[in-house]
Amino acid sequence: MGRSGTSLVRAVLSQHRDIAMSVRGELHFHENWNQKYGPAPTEKQREQFVAELLASSELQNWEVDWTLFRYEPKRFDEDFYLDAFYQLGDFYRRAKGKKYWGEKSTSTIKHLSQITREMPRAAFLLVVRDPRDVFCSMRRAKWNEGRTMDPGRFGHTWAVEMCRCLGRLNASAQRYALVRHEDMVLSNEKTLRRALETLGFDYYPELLKPKDLKWEKNTSFGAQEWTDPGHEQHTQELKFDPDTLGRWKDHLGKNDIAALENHAKFGMLAFGYTPELATTAYQDTLGAKIKRKLSKILPR
């Protein structure tokens, strides 16, 4: 889910000696292209798709020479779009001289079955954040101005989506790990080391001291957000700021907090977040049950 600290994790992983992290999430384009060209595009439509994709501003921000890219048809027969994105990522990896490539997208989970079928050794890192902070950040975001967000509906959506994500990963993925944003900020070395070792990657201290990272002031609180070329940006050392945690306490009213917690309680309990105003006792058993099922991957 967006506003969960995925940009911070991406910034750290982009410094890994073996991982080429692409500039932005790409798989969310899948639905757009599918609607435009259909699930089984003709050869001509595939050529048009590849040409349109290479000309997009998103790919231009990857800072590689796309004129050298050549699409090889039918690597993955059952999913043309996943095939194309895989080849783009693999080209990017080779251009950067890395062993692996990664992408940050909040909609990757939608394509999990296709990804794990075609790339069984793919590694997944799920980032979770306190839903109260997520809601607070979303409601204050510039792109959400003028909209009304219902805290109860959001809380239910958050809990269902997060538990569903872990359930799908547990059922389909060979390699996956969970990172809570709060743990990443407060215990970054322990959290990152555990996640990387779980996924089969090396950890080294330099990952937490990346230099020349770019950021833009576009978060809901006007704070620094790590970003990529193509935006108004500055260069500054990466920081893990505890003051970014628990902002909901100052920006959400009691009624909103109670409504969100009453609908998200089972998910909050499952992921180790403590509700303060929730009264829905029936969710306690459900939250404990989910937590037991996820005990092997939840942070300790």
Side-chain angles (χ1 to χ4, degrees), residues 123-151:
F124 300 87
L125 183 60
L126 178 62
V127 182
V128 181
R129 185 184 183 187
D130 188 315
R132 295 162 294 193
D133 270 335
V134 177
F135 176 77
C136 191
S137 179
M138 283 188 171
R139 194 166 71 170
R140 293 174 59 91
K142 294 179 181 179
W143 46 263
N144 208 27
E145 290 181 358
R147 299 179 182 179
T148 300
M149 290 183 63
D150 181 88

Side-chain angles (χ1 to χ4, degrees), residues 153-207:
R153 179 176 297 179
F154 171 84
H156 176 76
T157 300
W158 177 88
V160 170
E161 286 193 5
M162 292 299 99
C163 291
R164 183 177 294 164
C165 283
L166 272 181
R168 289 177 177 176
L169 287 171
N170 190 46
S172 303
Q174 294 184 20
R175 297 192 297 167
Y176 65 96
L178 170 71
V179 166
R180 285 193 306 205
H181 175 65
E182 296 77 13
D183 297 328
M184 190 67 184
V185 171
L186 297 176
S187 304
N188 44 68
E189 180 178 355
K190 177 182 177 181
T191 302
L192 184 60
R193 182 190 295 275
R194 181 177 184 271
L196 288 175
E197 290 178 351
T198 299
L199 297 176
F201 297 103
D202 293 331
Y203 168 84
Y204 44 96
E206 291 76 14
L207 283 171

